[in-house]
Amino acid sequence: MADVARVAGVSSQTVSRVSNGFPGVTEETRRQVLAAMRELGYRPNSAARALKRGEFRTLGVITFSLSSMGNIRTLEAIATSAAREGYAVTLLPVAVPTQDEVNGAFSRLGELAVDAVIVIMEIHLLDAATVSLPPGVQVVVADSDAGDRYTVVDTDQVGGARDAVRHLLDLGHDTVWHLAGPEGSFAAQRRAGAWRDTLTDAGRVPPPPVRGDWSAESGYRAGLRLAGEQDCTAVFAANDQMALGLLRALHERGRRVPDDVSVVGFDDIPEAASFLPPLTTVHQDFAEVGRLCVAGVLSKMRHAGTEHGTTLVPPRLVVRHSTAPPPPREDTRARQA
């Protein structure tokens, strides 16, 4: 910094103000300093800045799965929101969701110099006695059933699933079948519970759920089974990828969508409007979830906050062309014959 100041003909304090982007420097002086930096190959030392400021301007993100579309889009939203706030993101995937792995992940993030941590925890862990987050670390958890023990940000899974099922009932379907996500998933459990409760509240008997693993292939396999249920006229799929496989299976078995079977998904992935037919689905505002995760963890850092609780981001039903009233009963009987 002293060498840059000498070449630019300014003080070291001025060089510091330019390198840190502070105001109070004329444009001509700024150009002189930047030119001297380029001439000398000067690069600001981020480690020294961190020691001086007491922060690294980096957020750690721990996630237990990069295979689900929801986790990927949540991570993307967190990274985008962090960048807007001037923070970088260090990602640490954890292969096995155990207490030892969680502790190891926090230790590694500490070595990588992060200011706080966001945990994307789709599966049930924090509500179990076997796993807890280390004390003294500012943490926000996304997509989890952590209750009041931590600060949690999530989509209103129950509200979104309820809207999907009510939409199908309002169209006149007697009941709604469910293509559920994996049993260990918090989101899948919430969506399946809301599906069941909504049908029960409407005086309908819930059919047995068919389970997948979030993938389009599992949706296809489940769809082959559902296509054989002749009284199945409506299906709520727990995510859009499984809905895609379901559409293929129904097509192969001669069940027209939406003429014979209506289908609703969950997520509203960018490709949902390009499905054949375009998919009616529940839109998750991943950008808002990411923004609230970053805002929450920064607030805890800056104010040493200990507040806990869950913030739910409302979803919305996007109606496209994969849902319609059920076929006339006479038409159904003819197809069964």
Side-chain angles (χ1 to χ4, degrees):
M1 188 176 291
D3 291 339
V4 172
R6 176 178 50 79
V7 172
V10 299
S11 67
S12 296
Q13 183 180 10
T14 299
V15 175
S16 176
R17 297 185 70 85
V18 171
S19 65
N20 287 287
F22 292 156
V25 180
T26 66
E27 188 58 34
E28 181 180 354
T29 300
R30 189 182 305 278
R31 285 198 297 268
Q32 290 175 338
V33 172
L34 294 175
M37 287 180 176
R38 287 192 295 271
E39 179 182 338
L40 297 174
Y42 172 81
R43 295 291 185 275
N45 189 313
S46 58
R49 284 182 175 183
L51 290 173
K52 184 175 181 180
R53 295 177 178 176
E55 63 178 48
F56 298 96
R57 307 292 293 181
T58 301
L59 302 178
V61 177
I62 297 174
T63 181
F64 296 91
S65 172
L66 287 173
S67 60
S68 73
M69 182 64 65
N71 285 359
I72 291 293
R73 295 187 67 187
T74 300
L75 175 61
E76 178 186 26
I78 289 171
T80 301
S81 296
R84 290 197 189 103
E85 296 290 338
Y87 281 77
V89 167
T90 296
L91 173 65
L92 190 62
V94 175
V96 183
T98 64
Q99 182 67 64
D100 287 343
E101 288 290 326
V102 170
N103 288 339
F106 273 88
S107 296
R108 290 193 293 278
L109 283 176
E111 295 168 1
L112 293 170
V114 302
D115 299 304
V117 178
I118 298 171
V119 182
I120 305 174
M121 192 172 286
E122 176 195 359
I123 57 180
H124 280 275
L125 281 179
L126 295 184
D127 54 346
T130 55
V131 172
S132 61
L133 302 183
V137 180
Q138 299 296 357
V139 176
V140 168
V141 184
D143 194 11
S144 175
D145 194 12
D148 292 331
R149 297 170 59 197
Y150 304 98
T151 299
V152 178
V153 178
D154 194 15
T155 298
D156 183 1
Q157 311 287 348
V158 172
R162 186 187 301 119
D163 289 346
V165 176
R166 284 177 175 169
H167 169 66
L168 292 167
L169 293 178
D170 289 344
L171 286 171
H173 295 275
D174 290 335
T175 191
V176 177
W177 293 67
H178 185 40
L179 174 47
E183 289 187 80
S185 166
F186 160 72
Q189 183 182 20
R190 281 286 192 263
R191 293 170 197 176
W195 158 77
R196 186 178 298 106
D197 291 345
T198 304
L199 288 179
T200 302
D201 292 344
R204 317 297 171 87
V205 178
V210 181
R211 197 168 294 279
D213 62 8
W214 296 134
S215 70
E217 179 59 30
S218 72
Y220 173 73
R221 292 193 301 268
L224 293 176
R225 175 180 168 185
L226 289 170
E229 301 285 349
Q230 292 299 320
D231 61 343
C232 174
T233 65
V235 181
F236 165 46
N239 79 332
D240 290 350
Q241 293 289 341
M242 292 194 298
L244 176 60
L246 170 65
L247 291 176
R248 175 191 165 195
L250 292 172
H251 173 74
E252 289 183 359
R253 292 295 186 266
R255 303 291 302 277
R256 297 170 300 171
V257 178
D259 303 71
D260 301 321
V261 182
S262 289
V263 176
V264 177
F266 203 110
D267 282 342
D268 194 22
I269 62 175
E271 299 82 9
S274 299
F275 286 8
L276 190 63
L279 184 66
T280 295
T281 185
V282 177
H283 176 84
Q284 291 200 75
D285 192 345
F286 291 104
E288 181 65 3
V289 170
R291 187 191 71 79
L292 288 174
C293 284
V294 172
V297 81
L298 293 182
S299 176
K300 291 167 75 72
M301 284 167 46
R302 293 163 181 169
H303 306 292
T306 58
E307 70 279 0
H308 298 151
T310 300
T311 299
L312 294 180
V313 177
R316 58 183 173 86
L317 183 69
V318 180
V319 178
R320 296 193 177 101
H321 302 302
S322 65
T323 54
R329 294 185 184 277
E330 293 76 12
D331 187 25
T332 302
R333 284 196 295 268
R335 287 184 175 277
Q336 289 176 328

